[in-house]
Each structure stands twice: as C-alpha cells, then as structure tokens.
C-alpha cells in the first residue's frame, strides 16, 4: 500500500519525503485553509515540486461546467496534479469530460460502493472513500473500502482506491488488509505508525549497555 500525506503543510511533506515513504499528497479546501490565506496555485506548485507522485487538489465549483473550467486550469499547474471532484451528479459529469481530456480525477467524498461504481464508469483514476467520516456516523468505513477494492479486482479495473479520512494507525492497518492501493494520512498518523515504546526503550537499553562497558 502506498502512503500519501493528507496535508498542505510544506514542512510535513518534506519530512515525509525525506523518510522515503510518502509518494503523493492529497488536499482539500479545509486542508489548504489550515495553512492560512495562501496563494493556492503557488502552494500546489511547491507541493508538486517536492513530491513526484500524484498531488490532489480540489475544485470549489458545484456545477459540472465550473468544475471542468477549474480543473482545466489546475491541470496546467504541474504534470502531477490530480483533480479532486466530489462524488455528486455534477461531479460525475465533470469526471467523464475530464477523463476524456486525459486529466486525472480523484473522485472524493465517496461513501458508497454505488458511487464508486459510477465513478469508475466515468473513468476516475482514483476513488477516495472517506473512512473516518463513515465511522463517525456509526457505519463501517473500511467495509466500503474493501467492497470497492473487491469490485475493482473482480473486473480488473485500473482505478486506484485511496483510503481517506484516516484518523489513526489502526485505520492504516485495516486499509492495507482491505487491499487499498493507497492510504492518505495526516502527518501525525504517519508519525504514530512508526512509534513504539519497546523500540524507544530498546534503543535506550542498547545505548546504556554499550556505554556501561565500552565507554569506560
Ligand atoms: O482525505 C480526506 C480527508 O482530508 C478528510 O478527513 O478527517 O476531515 O474526515 P476528515
């Protein structure tokens, strides 16, 4: 499973890339707004220069015509830009037009297998089921991920599943087990995936044992 960072924070993205594990980035209007009143295009271009893989950036329009116009402009910002389009009826229409122009779409705000079925039919390159938000309302987000993966595998489709709205390391484990191609995760979750108290105490013990004898 590939790891993308779900952030627009440059320092966090640089760190993830330095670690050698982050191969893509996803953003949305909320994530961009966390960085303050920024130059949207400038920020996305900078992210695209740090990460070689896909960088998802979301449209704000709610009608197909507006989404398509925004997407066409964003697609010029960098070669690895992927356009996030919401899984609405208008979004579906925009997705098929953009796919026809070889502009990659990440169908976002996906909550059901049916939305994913239509998204792949419209030739979205990526589908992003929002796991945490489904869990929040008492549904099983990971079941939706697993269902979409099974569907894509059965028909040997090339669309990739991005497990999104990941809230904790357990979600990452479950996404990997469900066969998600990608998990897009907050920076803190990335750090938490690697942390273990036995690793920390083990490092300290090796150091102490070495020092007791060798440093004399
Ligand atoms: O990738 C989608 C993600 O940004 C949404 O996360 O935590 O707002 O549900 P959350």
């Amino acid at each position: 499973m590939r790891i993308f960072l779900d952030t627009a924070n440059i320092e966090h993205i640089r760190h993830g890339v330095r670690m050698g594990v982050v191969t893509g980035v996803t953003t949305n209007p909320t994530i961009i707004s966390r960085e303050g009143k920024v130059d949207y295009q400038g920020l996305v271009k900078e992210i695209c220069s740090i990460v070689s893989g896909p960088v998802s950036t979301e449209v704000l329009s709610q009608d197909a015509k507006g989404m398509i116009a925004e997407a066409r402009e964003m697609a010029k910002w960098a070669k690895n830009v992927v356009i996030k389009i919401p899984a609405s009826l208008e979004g579906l229409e925009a997705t098929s037009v953009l796919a026809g122009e070889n502009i990659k779409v990440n169908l976002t705000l996906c909550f059901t297998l049916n939305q994913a079925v239509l998204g792949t039919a419209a030739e979205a390159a990526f589908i992003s089921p929002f796991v945490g938000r489904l869990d929040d309302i008492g549904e099983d987000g990971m079941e939706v991920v697993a269902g979409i993966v099974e569907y894509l595998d059965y028909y040997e489709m090339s669309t990739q599943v991005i497990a999104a709205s990941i809230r904790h390391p357990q979600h990452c484990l479950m996404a990997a087990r469900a066969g998600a191609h990608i998990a897009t995760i907050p920076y803190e979750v990335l750090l938490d995936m690697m942390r273990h108290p036995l690793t920390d105490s083990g490092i300290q013990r090796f150091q102490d044992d070495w020092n007791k004898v060798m440093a004399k």
Side-chain angles (χ1 to χ4, degrees):
M1 185 174 73
R2 287 153 74 204
I3 303 293
F4 288 5
L5 269 186
D6 201 25
T7 183
N9 184 283
I10 295 294
E11 289 319 308
H12 293 171
I13 294 168
R14 283 192 198 285
H15 187 204
V17 170
R18 275 203 313 277
M19 285 191 273
V21 296
V22 169
T23 56
V25 166
T26 52
T27 69
N28 60 37
T30 303
I31 285 173
I32 297 284
S33 72
R34 286 190 194 127
E35 303 309 306
K37 196 167 177 193
V38 290
D39 161 19
Y40 187 20
Q41 183 178 156
L43 182 60
V44 171
K45 281 183 172 171
E46 191 174 357
I47 296 171
C48 288
S49 72
I50 300 169
V51 185
S52 56
V55 174
S56 290
T57 178
E58 189 155 347
V59 296
L60 287 161
S61 301
Q62 294 184 17
D63 62 304
K65 204 172 153 206
M67 289 178 195
I68 292 165
E70 272 187 71
R72 283 177 179 153
E73 280 312 304
M74 287 173 174
K76 293 179 197 157
W77 293 352
K79 63 177 184 339
N80 49 339
V81 160
V82 170
I83 312 298
K84 258 189 172 181
I85 301 276
S88 60
L89 291 174
E90 294 288 320
L92 206 55
E93 200 175 316
T95 298
S96 64
V97 170
L98 294 169
E101 296 175 11
N102 287 322
I103 294 176
K104 285 193 175 153
V105 170
N106 173 357
L107 196 78
T108 189
L109 289 166
C110 178
F111 296 98
T112 67
L113 177 54
N114 267 336
Q115 288 176 321
V117 167
L118 294 180
T120 52
E123 294 191 60
F126 303 93
I127 303 277
S128 290
F130 273 33
V131 176
R133 292 194 193 183
L134 279 168
D135 291 357
D136 286 345
I137 59 163
E139 293 188 32
D140 187 344
M142 213 48 79
E143 198 176 288
V144 175
V145 172
I148 298 171
V149 169
E150 190 185 3
Y151 167 74
L152 295 173
D153 282 351
Y154 187 82
Y155 288 102
E156 298 180 347
M157 289 170 159
S158 61
T159 308
Q160 300 214 317
V161 175
I162 305 181
S165 185
I166 295 285
R167 303 280 173 75
H168 45 70
Q170 194 65 20
H171 270 157
C172 298
L173 273 185
M174 292 156 79
R177 285 189 188 129
H181 305 89
I182 298 151
T184 188
I185 63 181
Y187 177 69
E188 281 308 323
V189 174
L190 174 66
L191 302 186
D192 286 345
M193 281 173 78
M194 200 60 190
R195 285 185 182 128
H196 197 285
L198 289 178
T199 303
D200 296 341
S201 62
I203 291 170
Q204 190 57 51
R205 191 167 147 192
F206 286 151
Q207 184 78 57
D208 293 345
D209 289 346
W210 179 268
N211 288 345
K212 258 185 254 165
V213 175
M214 307 303 267
K216 273 183 185 163

